[in-house]
Amino acid sequence: MKQSVFILGSFVVDLTAKAAWLPTEGETIKGNYFKIGPGGKGANQAVAAVRAGADVQLMTKIGQDLFSPVAIDSFTQESLMSNLVLIDKNNPTGIALIMVSEDGANQILVVPGASACITEDDLLCAKQAISTSRIFLTQLEVNIDAVEKAIDVAYTNQVEVILNPAPAQPVRDDLYNKIDYITPNETETKLLTGYDVADLDGCHLAAKYFFDRGVKNVLITLGGLGVYVNNREMFSLIPAMSVHVVDTTGAGDAFNGAFAASLDAGEDVFAAALFANVAAGLSVQSFGTAPAMPYRRDIVKALKEWNVRPDLQVFNS
Ligand code: RIB
């Protein structure tokens, strides 16, 4: 059986500053820490999937400028460097301005730069690699036409598709029936479906919205409340681990990368979500995004120690 994860997504350099609280509009406050490091949802998820044990191919695009070495160093270290890391001579490497407060909350402004310039020709070169993968994972931080075309290739070749619809933006209705797993957070769910997911009823309504359009499995990440998982027949609400939160930036990426790795290893949606939920819980305990992604041995250990087996309940749709 073919086994590997193909990820199409962004690389950006994270410029992260920490302060006691987040400034409001028009306010200047003093911070107490600053760091430059690798980020971008696609690259973060790729690092998370590699560290969670998967064989991963990452397709992304960076510029040729002072930030490109940050990408190349990180990809080399994580065994993600390949000819699918494209260099754009005309557009800059993407960046994200991130502010993190003492309690771990964040605000992010991302400029995807070269990552949003993936062309049809680029995708043609990746067609073979996508179609021979087992899992295809993407987000909405690269240009949407590239996302749509790559999903088409995956779907046509019976590769399982995970869409992490982040950052939030509307997607074409006809994309949904090509998606095996959709993984929005609360705000993305609200933007895509119109439903608040503050309670279980809201989660069920949002899941029904996706199911009615053809999505096969819905996983709504609920931050400190955990993750709602529904495969049309059964649902589960997996609680978040209770941890000391340092920085929540990239927790969704930890979840998605580890989830893809676990599915690729043959787990079902509920077991994979449980594994991914623990990965996210570990990632928020250190500062940064890609560097904070946990390794498989740590996820497995935490999963054993945590010892939570959430109930599966039958969903009456
Ligand atoms: O999901 C977190 C990521 O979103 C950060 O690394 C930042 O680059 C933004 O793209």
Side-chain angles (χ1 to χ4, degrees), residues 77-109:
Q77 209 176 315
E78 306 289 344
S79 310
L80 287 167
M81 199 59 208
S82 77
N83 57 5
L84 292 167
V85 176
L86 307 168
I87 311 285
D88 188 329
K89 295 200 172 107
N90 303 312
N91 292 289
T93 304
I95 60 100
L97 304 178
I98 305 180
M99 290 184 285
V100 179
S101 66
E102 223 44 78
D103 60 2
N106 65 54
Q107 272 176 5
I108 305 179
L109 191 162

Side-chain angles (χ1 to χ4, degrees), residues 25 52 76 151:
E25 195 180 324
T76 307
I151 287 180

Side-chain angles (χ1 to χ4, degrees), residues 8-302:
L8 166 68
S10 56
F11 171 85
V12 312
V13 170
D14 286 350
L15 307 166
T16 308
K18 190 157 190 170
W21 63 88
L22 300 175
T24 54
E25 195 180 324
E27 187 188 14
T28 302
I29 61 167
K30 283 186 186 167
N32 51 38
Y33 186 72
F34 175 72
K35 194 164 178 161
I36 297 183
K41 294 183 190 301
N44 292 344
Q45 293 180 18
V47 171
V50 166
R51 292 190 181 181
D55 175 8
V56 178
Q57 298 186 82
L58 168 67
M59 180 179 192
T60 192
K61 208 175 225 185
I62 58 175
Q64 200 168 45
D65 49 31
L66 100 150
F67 284 141
S68 10
V70 181
I72 291 165
D73 288 353
S74 167
F75 295 157
T76 307
Q77 209 176 315
E78 306 289 344
S79 310
L80 287 167
M81 199 59 208
S82 77
N83 57 5
L84 292 167
V85 176
L86 307 168
I87 311 285
D88 188 329
K89 295 200 172 107
N90 303 312
N91 292 289
T93 304
I95 60 100
L97 304 178
I98 305 180
M99 290 184 285
V100 179
S101 66
E102 223 44 78
D103 60 2
N106 65 54
Q107 272 176 5
I108 305 179
L109 191 162
V110 60
V111 183
S115 281
C117 302
I118 293 175
T119 66
E120 206 159 342
D121 281 351
D122 297 335
L123 285 170
L124 268 180
C125 301
K127 206 169 168 180
Q128 173 74 5
I130 295 175
S131 48
T132 53
S133 303
R134 173 158 184 215
I135 308 281
F136 173 80
L137 165 62
T138 193
Q139 321 74 29
L140 301 177
E141 215 162 55
V142 300
N143 39 313
I144 187 74
D145 54 322
V147 169
E148 290 167 352
K149 285 194 185 94
I151 287 180
D152 248 344
V153 173
Y155 175 75
T156 314
N157 290 282
Q158 290 90 46
V159 178
E160 287 201 287
V161 174
I162 308 171
L163 175 65
N164 172 224
Q169 75 172 79
V171 295
R172 281 194 349 231
D173 247 26
D174 63 348
L175 200 67
Y176 285 121
N177 74 342
K178 298 175 186 157
I179 296 170
D180 295 284
Y181 306 90
I182 196 161
T183 60
N185 67 12
E186 308 95 312
T187 50
E188 291 145 10
T189 305
K190 172 80 181 175
L191 183 130
L192 292 172
T193 69
Y195 292 113
D196 274 317
V197 287
D199 57 23
L200 205 50
D201 286 346
C203 290
H204 288 330
L205 287 168
K208 184 169 179 336
Y209 177 97
F210 290 125
F211 291 147
D212 287 348
R213 284 157 183 76
V215 176
K216 296 188 186 65
N217 297 271
V218 176
L219 297 94
I220 305 174
T221 53
L222 300 166
L225 294 179
V227 55
Y228 167 89
V229 188
N230 192 329
N231 72 351
R232 284 182 194 238
E233 285 158 8
M234 314 272 277
F235 80 89
S236 173
L237 190 58
I238 304 175
M241 285 199 304
S242 165
V243 295
H244 173 67
V245 176
V246 173
D247 180 5
T248 55
T249 322
D253 299 333
F255 181 89
N256 279 279
F259 178 66
S262 188
L263 284 182
D264 188 42
E267 298 292 356
D268 70 17
V269 62
F270 295 102
L274 187 60
F275 180 84
N277 182 56
V278 168
L282 293 175
S283 77
V284 300
Q285 296 176 59
S286 28
F287 193 76
T289 54
M293 298 303 161
Y295 289 87
R296 182 176 174 77
R297 59 175 178 275
D298 300 319
I299 304 171
V300 170
K301 183 166 173 271

